[in-house]
Amino acid sequence: MGVDTKAAADGTLWDGIVVLHGRVEHRLAKALQRRHGIGLSEYRALCHLARAGDGELRMQELADLIGLNQSSVSRLVARLESAGLTRRDMCPKDRRGVYTVITDEGRAVQDKAAPTYTETLTQSLDEAATDPALAPLLTTFRS
């Protein structure tokens, strides 16, 4: 396979991944907002916090885990705090370090939203598997 052919194949593959990602993200975001009143980033933040030791993460760690920059994660955490789903805490060893901590209410929202996320994800991927342009991707990803 020549360089141009490989580059074209890579481009086609990447285009398929982007389309698949966009479709799935859109459906997940819509389902979580409609059924639970939270956004997809908020849900993912709650999931990471629920799995973290003591239910807390440094703001930068959370930003890295969900793929947001520092200012975006600060706004996200502010929304979660306003809703009572998280709270901020200072790092005892480094007063400049700020943690975000999941609350009991945040855990309850994440637990309640988890089945919606899982069901919507599976449905979205199953639907994408019927699209001839995306079916080969799904076959590869699911194997």
Side-chain angles (χ1 to χ4, degrees):
M1 182 181 288
V3 174
D4 290 340
T5 306
K6 185 175 184 328
D10 285 349
T12 300
L13 173 65
W14 187 248
D15 288 346
I17 292 169
V18 170
V19 167
L20 177 62
H21 178 266
R23 285 184 191 177
V24 173
E25 292 281 285
H26 175 76
R27 290 198 53 195
L28 288 169
K30 192 172 169 182
L32 288 168
Q33 188 63 53
R34 186 177 65 246
R35 294 184 199 168
H36 306 284
I38 61 171
L40 184 54
S41 293
E42 285 84 358
Y43 174 75
R44 288 186 173 139
L46 292 174
C47 288
H48 287 295
L49 288 166
R51 288 191 298 262
D54 297 328
E56 66 183 30
L57 290 168
R58 280 180 168 268
M59 297 288 279
Q60 187 58 52
E61 288 176 287
L62 184 59
D64 292 344
L65 288 168
I66 57 179
L68 295 176
N69 63 37
Q70 190 66 41
S71 62
S72 294
V73 86
S74 291
R75 288 190 303 274
L76 170 89
V77 168
R79 289 191 304 270
L80 291 170
E81 281 183 277
S82 294
L85 306 179
T86 65
R87 64 179 173 76
R88 289 185 201 221
D89 198 7
M90 298 302 290
C91 176
K93 296 177 185 146
D94 176 5
R95 293 313 250 168
R96 294 170 296 164
V98 179
Y99 284 91
T100 185
V101 183
I102 193 168
T103 63
D104 289 341
E105 186 177 345
R107 285 184 192 278
V109 167
Q110 189 272 326
D111 285 343
K112 189 174 180 185
T116 298
Y117 181 90
T118 303
E119 290 165 14
T120 304
L121 176 61
T122 299
Q123 290 169 356
S124 298
L125 294 176
D126 287 348
E127 183 180 299
T130 66
D131 182 331
L134 299 176
L137 282 174
L138 270 295
T139 299
T140 300
F141 289 152
R142 285 180 157 176
S143 60

